[in-house]
Amino acid sequence: MTSLLQGYKALTPSTPSIEKLSAIKAISNALPFSIDTTTRENLVTELLKDLGTKEGSRLSDAEILPALVALKTLGRDKQASYIIIEPKNLEILHSYARSQDTEASKESLRCVANALLLHAEGSGEARTSWISVGGAGTCVDILKRESLPDYAFLASRILFLVTLKPSDFLERAVESLGLVEIIAERLDTLLLASQKGQPMAKDALTDILKLLFNLLVHYPRMVNEKADSSNRVENPVIGDLWDTKLVPLLAPLLRLFNSLPQTSSAPLVSPLTHVIHALINIPVAPYAKTWFNTPSKPGGTADTKGKSSVTFDTVQRAYDLLDLTLKHYVPNDPDDSSVQDLCTQEGINLDETAPPLVLLLRRMVMDNEEARKRVRQWLLPPDLDRSSPLEKRSDILGRCLRMLASVYHTRLKDSIGELLFAVCNSDANTMAAQIGYGNAAGFLFNKGIMAPPTTSASISEDVPENFEELNPITGTSRQTEDPSAILASMSDEEKEREAEKLFVLFDRLEKLGMVVNPVRKAQQE
């Protein structure tokens, strides 16, 4: 639509403001497909030229904000955004980002955020240019002084995009600019804003958590790479690296984890999922007092014993969330088509969304004896009813055991196996005794533990009551077993699945040299 370009270029400094505004708004309101690439690029160039100069500019103060809005609209096209990310043009937008005019500052930041997002997967020149003109530092200042959710969202979004990769700026932001402390304070204020239902509060929380995640992942790695060989961790994986400069983030993250309202029937949604991703990068044991005694408010008061008068129970919260998640998505057979239908309907991938929560609970169980005892008491109490198959139970234990046999949810299956293993003191015999070797065998085999069914000679003290009366394969009481009744109550599909499980179990025992697989032997004969 060349008429838009002609109309704008026909403007002069002396053109009445109402005519200028009309021409600029026509650009903003034009449908994206109605402007060809050449016209769009020329309009972006002309707008930036007028925004970047006072002398001879077509724009007076009254037209600055509408011009930035028009630039933002045009800049949503990647081809046009190449012009915006040129250093001289980022410098122009940076000058408005620093201005006292709040609305003009926000619009300029929106232009930058759109451009950086469009080039997030590129070589990083856009990020480097924005850092070099001082824009990233300005965003830190804005995040520090501004508590409005929409302003915090823009600053956080840009800083998230700027810190996608390790850089000197990221290191400086942590060590000199106080970004960690700024984020910690802003998390609490945005939580309060979210609870009050303020617009953009949830979006701001989501993006500041993405920024926080970048710091947790990249900064410890940068420190590790600079360490001498004696202190360097080789080939680190998630959770291996940590730096104490990031400690201020823990308490507000735990407050978020325990306080974020459930906004839909689905238990795991943003920004809660981002909180979980952040927490699994923070060690538990060195900061147990904070993990398990988190004040419900910043600077929470303490009683005479040094404990906060109002604290959160993070273990209980994680356990309850896992219970709700499994109950919501996999109440019965995890491989049933209804599970995938529900996940598709809600737009989630269960095998990506749920495992981080399981990992978070596992880390607390692994690194804290009290947490391990509590979760074991909830999952596997001494007086657990073992009169029927454990994997048939309708509670969280039954859903976990059914997940161990899942074909489709491999990551969730493995993470739940690791949680149960940790609950059982990371001991194969204890795990087999608690849930039955038939339920545990697949996980233990994949873990490389070739353990035979638990016997009285191999058990520890962490086993069910009356262990000698239990079937070591099923974990259920021998006295209540009636094979004919159980078989009669099963459908043909259930019989087929159980037969397959039995074949696999015998196959594994055969590899241990304990038995000859009777099915294979019959086939050979």
Side-chain angles (χ1 to χ4, degrees), residues 17-59:
S17 181
I18 191 170
E19 293 183 21
K20 295 180 187 178
L21 291 172
S22 177
I24 294 170
K25 288 180 180 178
I27 297 171
S28 299
N29 296 333
L31 295 173
F33 58 80
S34 68
I35 306 176
D36 63 82
T37 301
T38 301
T39 299
R40 185 183 297 273
E41 292 175 346
N42 287 332
L43 282 169
V44 168
T45 301
E46 291 295 324
L47 284 167
L48 282 166
K49 183 174 69 174
D50 288 332
L51 287 166
T53 182
K54 292 296 183 183
E55 282 190 30
S57 172
R58 302 178 179 91
L59 306 175

Side-chain angles (χ1 to χ4, degrees), residues 323-335:
D323 190 10
L324 285 170
T325 300
L326 295 178
K327 185 176 182 180
H328 180 71
Y329 291 107
V330 285
N332 299 301
D333 181 1
D335 290 339

Side-chain angles (χ1 to χ4, degrees), residues 487-499:
L487 196 63
S489 66
M490 297 172 65
S491 67
D492 290 340
E493 289 183 354
E494 288 175 322
K495 292 176 183 176
E496 186 176 342
R497 281 199 298 269
E498 291 302 316

Side-chain angles (χ1 to χ4, degrees), residues 383-391 393 433-436 464-483 486:
D383 59 351
L384 179 68
D385 180 8
R386 295 177 177 272
S387 61
S388 59
L390 301 182
E391 66 274 15
R393 296 173 62 91
Q434 286 283 5
I435 66 175
E465 294 179 352
N466 305 319
F467 172 74
E468 297 290 351
E469 300 176 8
L470 300 182
N471 183 323
I473 300 298
T474 64
T476 56
S477 173
R478 297 179 194 269
Q479 298 176 355
T480 59
E481 292 177 345
D482 183 353
I486 295 174

Side-chain angles (χ1 to χ4, degrees), residues 8 25 57 60 72 88 97 133 138-139 160 162 259 265 275 525:
Y8 184 78
K25 288 180 180 178
S57 172
S60 65
K72 175 190 68 178
K88 64 177 182 179
V133 302
T138 295
C139 288
F160 159 65
V162 164
S259 303
S265 59
V275 176
E525 292 177 349

